[in-house]
């Protein structure tokens, strides 16, 4: 049976919806693992939040002052656009709050690290945690944990040391903190230094390659000094180069309230012990999960999370991030996003959403990369407080079309045919002909494959024919 009714209505798309990452195949059993309980003696969450509020009281005070004094339409907060208070603003805050300029700057830096205040260019605004500071204990604890994670930024690193050595100490400190947590009491600094040296040696060994080819013969031992036993060799001098770096690390952790440090020993505070336990629990949960991605590289971890439900995937992201320094983790995620797999690109930015504020500079740095720009713009919009349903409005029409093709490529590679058909609903164009015109012009490298897959999946013969024609035109360079 034929019909003379025009088919244009069948080529019309539904109302545009926010662009989202590619739908994931649901192939996961719910975990019935009971919620872990903290070690005996750990204060209740309300008491931990009270401790965190006390520790961050100065930072919250400066953040509230900035909210009132540096809001929209008022003088700028910074002098260099890098979140450093200008001299005039610091002096004004010190005068109005009854503090010294040094105290204001220290509290300002703490407020930024804890997410109580956010700086964008020369404007400051309160973070969401400040809004919930007095009523939401979880927001307070998250703010303190963010400060704890950024302990290496809380105090300037000692001068005269190579950046590589500082990075090694930062990478090794999680093991030191874990030892302190398991010890549940004071630990001599000499013991911590020995542990740090062992861990740094392991890190250096992991980076070394096995030398190939003939190796020089070891030097022959010299004659013993008269009067000493022949079989007695001088002991190698102890490497003390890490001692000042351990002192810096312990002092920085003490400054954020994670431990007490003095009289040649260190002890975790209740807040520090709780935070380390949380991170260890995250790592253990991930290691025991079906995915088990804790030791994988970013790309393999993301592939392992592709089949998980969103909440389970976020748990894997948190555990993976807890096991490595934030800076290197963000770099690894962005490198994975630059690959050819569009699904990994979307998942990488989902993992970066778990990272939060520490990832902002690196995400802004990739805005000039066409492949990552739409994802980065959406990430920054949501980070700035724009809801996910409205975040897509920051994209230009061309960027939104490019992202639609990239997401469709992820669906075509990893999803099912009905998912690709439903993906039409997320396009910003009102009709399929308009979508095809703009898809042809956007220049995405996967355009032909996406259109061919869509034509094969769509049940409407007229629409499938139009999509196949558009794929052929892109392939041959026609119009």
């Amino acid at each position: 049976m034929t019909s003379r009714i025009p088919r244009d209505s069948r080529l019309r798309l539904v109302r545009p919806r926010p662009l989202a990452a590619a739908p994931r195949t649901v192939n996961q059993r719910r975990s019935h693992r009971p919620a872990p309980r903290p070690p005996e003696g750990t204060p209740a969450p309300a008491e931990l939040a009270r401790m965190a509020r006390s520790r961050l009281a100065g930072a919250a005070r400066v953040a509230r002052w900035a909210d009132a004094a540096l809001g929209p339409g008022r003088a700028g907060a910074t002098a260099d656009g890098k979140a450093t208070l200008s001299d005039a603003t610091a002096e004004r805050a010190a005068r109005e709050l009854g503090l010294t300029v040094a105290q204001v700057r220290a509290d300002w830096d703490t407020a930024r690290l804890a997410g109580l205040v956010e700086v964008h260019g020369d404007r400051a605004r309160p973070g969401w945690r400040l809004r919930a500071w007095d009523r939401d204990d979880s927001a307070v604890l998250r703010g303190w944990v963010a400060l704890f994670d950024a302990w290496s930024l809380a105090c300037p690193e000692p001068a005269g040391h190579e950046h590589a050595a500082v990075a090694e100490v930062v990478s090794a400190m999680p093991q030191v903190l874990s030892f302190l947590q398991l010890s549940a009491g004071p630990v001599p600094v000499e013991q911590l230094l020995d542990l740090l040296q062992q861990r740094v040696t392991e890190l250096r060994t992991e980076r070394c390659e096995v030398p190939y080819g003939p190796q020089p013969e070891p030097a022959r031992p010299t004659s013993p000094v008269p009067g000493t036993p022949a079989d007695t060799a001088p002991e190698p001098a102890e490497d003390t180069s890490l001692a000042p770096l351990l002192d810096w690390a312990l002092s920085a952790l003490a400054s954020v309230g994670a431990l007490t440090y003095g009289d040649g020993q260190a002890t975790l505070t209740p807040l520090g012990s709780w935070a380390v336990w949380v991170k260890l629990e995250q790592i253990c949960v991930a290691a025991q999960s079906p995915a088990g991605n804790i030791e994988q590289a970013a790309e393999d971890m993301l592939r392992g999370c592709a089949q998980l439900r969103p909440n389970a995937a976020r748990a894997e992201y948190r555990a993976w991030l807890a096991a490595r320094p934030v800076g290197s983790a963000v770099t690894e995620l962005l490198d994975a996003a630059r690959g050819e797999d569009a699904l990994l690109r979307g998942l990488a930015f989902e993992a970066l959403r778990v990272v939060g504020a520490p990832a902002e500079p690196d995400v802004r740095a990739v805005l000039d990369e066409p492949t990552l720009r739409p994802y980065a713009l959406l990430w920054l919009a949501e980070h700035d407080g724009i809801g996910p349903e409205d975040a897509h409005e920051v994209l230009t029409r061309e960027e939104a079309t490019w992202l639609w093709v990239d997401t469709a490529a992820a669906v075509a590679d990893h999803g099912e045919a009905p998912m690709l058909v439903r993906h039409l609903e997320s396009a910003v164009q009102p009709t399929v002909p308009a979508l095809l015109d703009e898809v042809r012009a956007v220049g995405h490298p996967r355009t032909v494959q996406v259109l061919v897959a869509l034509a094969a999946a769509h049940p409407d013969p007229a629409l499938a024919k139009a999509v196949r024609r558009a794929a052929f035109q892109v392939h041959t360079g026609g119009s």
Side-chain angles (χ1 to χ4, degrees), residues 44-384:
E47 178 63 17
L48 290 170
R50 186 194 64 79
M51 297 176 184
R53 284 190 180 94
S54 176
R55 170 62 62 174
L56 296 172
R61 184 183 181 189
V62 170
R64 290 193 176 98
W65 176 88
D67 183 19
L70 305 177
R74 298 178 176 87
T78 66
D80 56 3
K82 297 180 180 179
T84 303
L85 278 180
S86 64
D87 292 338
T89 304
E91 291 172 1
R92 176 187 170 192
R95 184 172 58 255
E96 296 182 6
L97 295 175
L99 303 172
T100 65
V101 172
Q103 287 175 324
V104 168
R105 291 191 181 278
D107 288 340
W108 173 265
D109 290 339
T110 300
R112 287 194 302 108
L113 294 176
L116 296 176
V117 65
E118 298 175 358
V119 175
H120 301 275
D122 62 348
R123 291 185 297 176
R125 72 180 186 192
W128 68 269
R129 289 179 183 134
L130 183 65
R131 299 300 191 203
W133 196 250
D134 295 325
R135 54 181 168 77
D136 189 344
D137 289 345
S138 64
V140 175
L141 291 175
R142 288 182 183 181
W144 185 85
V145 169
L147 177 64
F148 170 69
D149 288 338
W151 66 264
S152 60
L153 304 178
C155 292
E157 62 188 57
H161 292 273
E162 295 182 357
H163 293 298
V166 175
E168 288 172 343
V169 170
V170 173
S171 299
M173 282 308 293
Q175 281 70 24
V176 175
L177 291 170
S178 300
F179 181 75
L180 280 168
Q181 201 273 339
L182 294 173
S183 299
V187 178
V189 174
E190 292 81 2
Q191 193 172 359
L192 297 178
L193 179 59
D194 182 63
L195 177 62
L196 178 65
Q197 289 172 337
Q198 293 180 31
R199 180 54 184 157
V200 169
T201 300
E202 292 174 357
L203 292 173
R204 293 172 179 173
T205 303
E206 290 172 0
R207 293 197 305 268
C208 290
E209 296 182 357
V210 178
Y212 293 93
Q215 302 297 315
E217 295 183 2
R220 296 179 180 276
T222 58
S223 301
V225 178
T228 61
D231 59 349
T232 302
E235 295 184 0
E238 183 181 358
D239 182 11
T240 60
S241 61
L242 294 178
L245 290 176
L246 176 62
D247 178 73
W248 160 71
L250 294 177
S251 298
L253 286 162
S255 70
V256 302
L259 53 80
T260 58
Y261 175 42
D263 297 329
Q265 59 186 17
T267 309
L268 283 180
T269 63
L271 271 174
S273 179
W274 168 79
V276 175
W277 170 80
V278 168
K279 293 185 178 297
L280 288 174
E281 182 63 25
Q282 289 174 347
I283 293 172
C284 291
V285 169
Q288 296 170 6
S289 69
N293 298 294
I294 190 64
E295 297 180 356
Q296 301 295 327
E299 184 173 340
D300 294 331
M301 181 272 294
L302 294 173
R303 291 189 189 280
C305 293
Q307 305 297 324
L308 300 180
R309 296 176 185 269
N311 287 340
R314 281 191 290 271
E316 292 280 334
Y317 301 151
R318 282 192 293 268
W320 186 84
L321 292 164
R324 45 191 45 80
V326 174
S328 61
V330 171
T331 299
E332 200 172 339
L333 287 171
L334 289 174
D335 287 341
R338 293 185 177 96
E340 296 181 358
D341 194 329
L343 178 61
L344 296 190
R345 196 153 29 249
L347 294 178
F349 277 86
E350 288 296 325
L352 289 171
R353 287 179 173 86
V354 176
V355 177
E360 181 181 1
D362 296 275
V363 173
R364 288 191 183 278
V366 303
L367 287 175
D368 293 333
E369 300 183 31
T371 304
L372 303 184
R373 179 176 173 81
Y375 293 94
L377 287 172
L378 291 178
W379 189 98
L380 291 169
E382 294 179 23
H383 178 66
D384 290 344

